Each structure stands twice: as structure tokens, then as C-alpha cells.
Amino acid sequence: MDNTRLEELFESLGPISIRKLFGGKGIYCEGVIVAVVVRGELMLKADAESMPDFEAAGCSQWTYTGSRHGKGVAMPYWSVPDEAFDDPDEMAVWARRAYEAGRRAGK
């Protein structure tokens, strides 16, 4: 996913910055991480408060197998609902949820 498309998707939040992260990209708004792009997939920040919304929308959580212990590790990032990619108003709702989760995390 190129930076121009990411800027379009997060336009409702205002200016974003994009940095290399996890071998992909980190998307920040006002210094708050709101999303990552991992293996070409956009994943939004979530927390205990917003996770039920992501689950209800059928989103999937980013997980990976830890190299040291071989166990699954769940990250606080979730896939974007398909309809949000085509509907700027819907994406604005999800982007705001991700921003608020990032603010609550203090990062």
C-alpha cells in the first residue's frame, strides 16, 4: 500500500506521518500510532475498549508465532473492514477508533 493511498484513507484525521516499522510501515497522527502496514495489509490500532467493534465487524487480529517460544502472539492491530476501503465516511469512523485507542495506550 503506497503512502498516497494511506494519506487518502486517513484524511479525516488530518495530516499523518508514515515511518518504517516492523519491516512495514507505521502510520501516526499527532505522534500517536494509529495503524501499521504489515506484509502489505493495513491494520488499525485497537484496545480492550474498541476490540469488540473490530470483532463484530468480522475483522482479524494480527498474530504471529514467537521465535523463542513458538507460541502465538496477538498484537493490538486489526484488519480494516472491507467496506471502509470504499467509503470515506466509514473509514473516518474506523480511523477515529484507532486514533482513540492509540491515545489511550499513551503511545
Side-chain angles (χ1 to χ4, degrees), residues 9-101:
L9 289 170
F10 290 95
E11 185 174 38
S12 66
L13 291 181
I16 61 167
S17 60
I18 302 167
R19 303 180 206 152
K20 291 181 181 182
L21 183 71
F22 301 132
K25 299 177 182 181
I27 295 92
Y28 298 80
C29 178
E30 299 176 0
V32 174
I33 189 161
V34 295
V36 294
V37 176
V38 179
R39 289 180 232 113
E41 184 176 6
L42 179 62
M43 309 291 281
L44 298 174
K45 178 87 170 168
D47 62 4
E49 187 173 321
S50 61
M51 194 174 3
D53 296 326
F54 284 90
E55 289 173 332
C59 301
S60 58
Q61 188 173 16
W62 173 24
T63 61
Y64 69 93
T65 303
S67 60
R68 289 188 179 178
H69 50 68
K71 296 181 183 177
V73 177
M75 298 296 287
Y77 296 94
W78 289 70
S79 62
V80 178
D82 290 337
E83 62 273 9
F85 283 109
D86 298 322
D87 182 344
D89 293 332
E90 186 70 15
M91 186 61 192
V93 171
W94 290 99
R96 176 62 51 191
R97 282 185 181 127
Y99 175 73
E100 293 300 329

